[in-house]
Amino acid sequence: MHRGVPAGTSPQPPPPPPLPEPPLAEEAGWPVRCGAIPAPADGYIGRLETAPSLAPALPPGGLAALVPARTTGGGSRDWRTSCGKTQLAAGFAESLWQAREVDLLVWVAATSRAAVLSAYRAAADQAVGGDLPGDAEAVAARFLSWLTDTTRPWLVVLDGLADGADLGGLWPEGSAGRVLVTTADAATLTGQPGTHLLPVGMFSPREALSYLMGRLTADPDQRIGAIDLVKDLGCEPLALAQASAVIASSSLSCRDYRDYFVRRREQLTDAVGWDEAAGGEPSAAAVTWTFSVEQADRLSPDGTAQAVLALAALLDGLGTPAVVFTATAAARAYVAGGAGRPRATPERVQAGVRVLERAGLLAMDVADTQPVMRMSPSVQAAVRAAMPDAMLDRTVRAAADALLEAWPDGDQRDWLPGELRSSTASLQEVAGDLLWAGGCHPLLRRAGRSLDSARLTGPAVDYWRDLATINDRLLGSGHADTLIAGEHLAAAYLTAGRPAEAVPWCQWILAKRVHGLGPDHPSTIAARLDLGHALSAAGQIGDAITVLDTAAGDYERVCGPDHLDTLATQDELADAYRSAGQFEDAILISRRTLASRERIQGAQHPDTTRTRQHLADSYLSADRVKEAIAQYKKVLADTERALGPDNLDTIAARGKLGSAYHQAGKMASALQLFEQARTGYERVLGSDHPDTLARSASLAHAYYAAGRLTDASTLLRDIYARCERTLPADDALTQQVRDSLTNIVGS
């Protein structure tokens, strides 16, 4: 599928340990509710006659899916898929929550794998009460493991699942939990055993009439002809919602609306030549939406509502942040009618949104602190199909500009970037190549960087790979946007622990930089450094040394010996020499770099401390233990002074110094530092974290070396039990602890 660069393979990292069972105390923040559950629609009814009975169909440990009872195979234009699935799921979730039958409720807009991972990360952080370490895949694995083991009752709702492949390895399981899915296509659940499919069809005549009467309370005369209208609308929930909205916002009665409806349906049938096999006439909602658009035109003659509708049709129907429409200059300029005209005010845009709500074309959900717009995928598809090409082009550009403008610069753990990523994906799917007119739109790079910042490593790799491929096809391999995407892809591969796949991309980027900019351009030298880093990470140490040595020489020649880029490259080169077992070369380079950093940046600068750490590591590898201890002491003192005693870097530095004392045979000092490091890891990461277990194993080995066999065996038994419970059976640490325990017990 992707051209030009070979892809390597690498083993998947083992899943991290599960989350700890949180305390039962109320002050711990339980019960926990995560995700934006859609508010009940206007006139919402419980559908006692036609809705699947979810409580018996979804007992603890169960998996059920709400699917359309009948579809025409029309994809997003299949109006019958809009049958109230999400509203039923939301009603069920709220009923369990209000009855206190679940301690954890997680609502996931399952539009993509990235969206699911983001929701799991937010749920894990909220349930445990902290920012968990690791990328999103690792945190999701821990969260799913916790769901499997917990005795707390929970419900996870996966709303709007479009592709079952997005849930590969991410299906929640557990005897205490329930999983509820909504999807427009039951085929998305193929291959997921044990799924209880629950078809959702139309209202019953009694439900439809009750719904319609409930929407028309202001003027009882508008109810005249309601029974006949319900019959002609086929009890379709979406059609009833649109018809009742138009009637309620006009002087029409149900009888008047029905007369218009019958004539319009006959016109559409004749004009389109409706497939007789499909029922001989269009779905009721395929007719009623046209009246809703006409009503919006009447209520908003200046075109504001129409412009907002066009923008909303291109974005995420499950929920687009309202700020995209009301708080961006790009959206207001589009609503105003084009370049050269004054921007519309936020109040004018908000008025347009209210008109669309009154016409039944979208809903503004203000149940949560951040309002979002929701829109039926069928209505979105119909609006897009009605757009002329020129209008679609202009709307795509405006929507992209508005999303980019709304994107925050701050924390990527906030809810807004995730919603914006979903809307960007929707826009990209609709826009096709339009977002590459004149070059790759900056929004697409912003979305990729957001994936990187959110530590969505797997989706980030897929995203940047696709973007690089499309850039290559549309813009050419030498275009700046193509190179930028390639650089991000290589970095994403490295972050994901797949350096072998990063290497060919780094080689390709370097070749392009040399050809386009020359060998001495700063961007070319930076690309050479990136290649050296990738080669080191991939274990190709000999090649890495060659490349890094060249890069260090280039930086020194072009930028000078004291330039920070020169010093950083020398750090990389020293590490490569140490990995190759050339310890004296590593020591020589690190000593020279350390002297330069102390002179330029100061003895306690973080960069200086990192270089000192590299030097200490090389001393220890070369068995120059006394010199290693001296440097490790300085690293620990400087790190603790700068970051505090509970920072992970400080704790790691304490463990490094302990290892040096151990190697020197100074066991009293080694034991003290190992114990302090283990306590620090337990306090910050928890007892079952892999880093805590590894440091505990080091302490046990030190106990053994010091002749404290009982302490060593007791600790190893505890570590082994934790490894067995939290790590894969073939994990290297588990095997090491097992062997150590066998040796100690045998001795």
Side-chain angles (χ1 to χ4, degrees):
M1 178 177 178
H2 303 290
R3 299 182 286 119
V5 179
T9 59
S10 61
Q12 293 297 314
L19 306 179
E21 184 78 11
L24 296 174
E26 288 295 325
E27 60 268 19
W30 286 80
V32 169
R33 177 184 177 120
C34 188
I37 301 178
D42 288 343
Y44 174 78
I45 61 174
R47 299 187 65 172
L48 297 179
E49 295 181 1
T50 59
S53 184
L54 283 170
L58 189 56
L63 166 61
L66 296 171
V67 300
R70 183 165 61 99
T71 63
T72 62
S76 60
R77 293 297 301 276
D78 187 350
W79 295 93
R80 291 181 176 86
T81 62
S82 297
C83 51
K85 304 179 299 298
T86 294
Q87 285 286 298
L88 291 173
F92 177 67
E94 288 287 4
S95 68
L96 291 183
W97 179 259
Q98 296 300 330
R100 298 299 297 268
E101 293 186 32
V102 291
D103 283 349
L104 173 64
L105 171 56
V106 182
W107 186 276
V108 182
T111 54
S112 66
R113 186 173 183 84
V116 174
L117 287 168
S118 295
Y120 285 178
R121 166 149 234 151
D125 285 351
Q126 193 170 340
V128 176
D131 184 1
L132 296 169
D135 65 15
E137 298 270 2
V139 173
R142 296 180 67 190
F143 177 61
L144 292 172
S145 177
W146 181 84
L147 290 180
T148 300
D149 296 335
T150 186
T151 58
R152 287 183 175 275
W154 53 265
L155 170 68
V156 173
V157 180
L158 300 164
D159 183 37
L161 180 64
D163 187 350
D166 290 338
L167 269 293
L170 296 180
W171 283 101
E173 296 178 353
S175 59
R178 299 173 173 93
V179 181
L180 180 60
V181 179
T182 74
T183 179
D185 186 357
T188 60
L189 297 163
T190 301
Q192 185 60 28
T195 305
H196 189 179
L197 296 181
L198 303 174
V200 181
M202 304 300 106
F203 284 146
S204 70
R206 192 195 330 254
E207 288 172 341
L209 184 61
S210 174
Y211 172 80
L212 186 58
M213 299 297 241
R215 293 292 306 274
L216 304 176
T217 57
D219 183 357
D221 289 342
Q222 289 186 308
R223 298 174 174 177
I224 298 172
I227 295 177
D228 292 334
L229 179 58
V230 163
K231 181 179 179 181
D232 279 351
L233 295 181
C235 299
E236 293 183 25
L238 180 58
L240 283 161
Q242 292 171 338
S244 60
V246 170
I247 294 169
S249 61
S250 69
S251 60
L252 296 175
S253 67
C254 289
R255 179 182 298 164
D256 298 330
Y257 187 95
R258 175 179 176 268
D259 291 340
Y260 286 119
F261 174 83
V262 171
R263 289 197 297 271
R264 179 66 57 84
R265 183 164 60 185
E266 290 174 349
Q267 293 168 358
L268 289 175
T269 302
D270 294 340
V272 179
W274 204 261
D275 183 4
E276 294 292 334
E281 58 188 14
S283 165
V287 180
T288 56
W289 88 277
T290 64
F291 293 123
S292 291
V293 171
E294 291 169 1
Q295 180 69 350
D297 289 344
R298 284 189 289 271
L299 296 175
S300 179
D302 64 355
T304 297
Q306 296 89 329
V308 174
L309 181 65
L311 286 173
L314 305 185
L315 305 177
D316 183 13
L318 289 183
T320 297
V323 295
V324 173
F325 303 87
T326 59
T328 63
R332 296 199 299 271
Y334 176 81
V335 168
R341 301 183 61 177
R343 293 190 181 106
T345 63
E347 292 74 20
R348 177 179 163 186
V349 176
Q350 290 167 353
V353 172
R354 288 193 294 271
V355 165
L356 294 173
E357 284 192 284
R358 293 178 62 194
L361 291 168
L362 55 74
M364 177 73 83
D365 192 338
V366 296
D368 289 289
T369 56
Q370 300 291 344
V372 297
M373 286 195 201
R374 305 188 191 276
M375 191 172 179
S376 163
S378 301
V379 176
Q380 288 184 300
V383 172
R384 294 194 300 265
M387 284 188 193
D389 289 344
M391 179 182 179
L392 178 62
D393 188 6
R394 190 168 68 89
T395 310
V396 163
R397 301 295 297 186
D401 291 344
L403 288 171
L404 182 61
E405 186 180 344
W407 218 298
D409 294 328
D411 188 3
Q412 293 300 296
R413 303 297 293 280
D414 183 69
W415 74 277
L416 184 57
E419 302 287 343
L420 295 175
R421 287 194 298 268
S422 293
S423 279
T424 300
S426 298
L427 177 63
Q428 189 174 350
E429 182 178 355
V430 171
D433 295 347
L434 293 177
L435 289 172
W436 278 265
C440 180
H441 195 284
L443 170 69
L444 301 177
R445 292 194 295 273
R446 187 66 186 86
R449 294 198 304 273
S450 177
L451 291 170
D452 295 334
S453 298
R455 292 182 281 182
L456 291 158
T457 54
V461 166
D462 294 339
Y463 183 89
W464 287 116
R465 184 174 55 216
D466 289 343
L467 191 62
T469 300
I470 298 172
N471 282 352
D472 185 29
R473 175 173 60 85
L474 297 178
L475 305 176
S477 61
H479 195 281
D481 289 341
T482 306
L483 292 175
I484 290 172
E487 289 171 341
H488 281 290
L489 174 58
Y493 273 131
L494 288 172
T495 302
R498 298 161 63 179
E501 293 166 274
V503 167
W505 280 99
C506 290
Q507 291 170 332
W508 177 76
I509 293 164
L510 176 58
K512 291 293 182 182
R513 293 297 188 201
V514 170
H515 181 266
L517 301 174
D520 290 340
H521 192 278
S523 295
T524 303
I525 304 174
R528 184 170 285 111
L529 174 60
D530 290 339
L531 173 58
H533 180 71
L535 288 166
S536 291
Q540 302 176 39
I541 303 301
D543 292 338
I545 289 174
T546 300
V547 171
L548 290 170
D549 190 47
T550 302
D554 290 343
Y555 269 127
E556 186 167 358
R557 185 181 68 258
V558 174
C559 302
D562 292 339
H563 194 276
L564 296 182
D565 288 339
T566 303
L567 300 179
T569 308
Q570 290 172 348
D571 279 333
E572 292 259 9
L573 179 58
D575 279 349
Y577 273 126
R578 184 167 59 86
S579 298
Q582 298 176 233
F583 305 130
E584 295 304 323
D585 290 327
I587 290 170
L588 181 63
I589 294 172
S590 290
R591 288 178 63 179
R592 187 172 68 239
T593 306
L594 178 61
S596 297
R597 287 201 186 278
E598 287 180 328
R599 176 168 45 82
I600 298 165
Q601 297 175 279
Q604 296 177 5
H605 191 277
D607 291 345
T608 305
T609 301
R610 279 190 289 271
T611 298
R612 191 183 305 281
Q613 175 82 61
H614 297 318
L615 176 59
D617 291 342
S618 296
Y619 275 139
L620 192 62
S621 298
D623 204 27
R624 295 168 63 171
V625 181
K626 182 177 180 181
E627 292 159 296
I629 289 174
Q631 296 299 330
Y632 279 133
K633 283 183 176 179
K634 186 73 168 73
V635 168
L636 176 58
D638 291 344
T639 305
E640 186 167 7
R641 184 185 304 108
L643 303 176
D646 288 336
N647 183 272
L648 286 175
D649 288 343
T650 304
I651 298 169
R654 195 170 285 118
K656 288 266 193 179
L657 179 56
S659 296
Y661 276 128
H662 189 178
Q663 189 166 327
K666 299 181 177 181
M667 298 310 300
S669 297
L671 287 174
Q672 181 182 11
L673 288 164
F674 280 146
E675 287 170 345
Q676 291 173 354
R678 181 203 181 199
T679 301
Y681 278 119
E682 283 183 337
R683 186 168 56 250
V684 176
L685 299 177
S687 300
D688 293 336
H689 193 279
D691 289 347
T692 305
L693 295 173
R695 186 51 54 198
S696 298
S698 297
L699 174 59
H701 295 151
Y703 280 147
Y704 179 73
R708 294 170 56 175
L709 302 186
T710 301
D711 291 335
S713 61
T714 300
L715 182 54
L716 283 171
R717 286 190 177 93
D718 177 70
I719 300 167
Y720 182 63
R722 294 180 185 277
C723 289
E724 284 270 284
R725 186 176 69 251
T726 61
L727 301 179
D730 58 349
D731 184 79
L733 180 59
T734 304
Q735 181 63 46
Q736 175 191 340
V737 173
R738 183 189 298 116
D739 293 343
S740 298
L741 189 57
T742 300
N743 292 335
I744 290 177
V745 172
S747 63

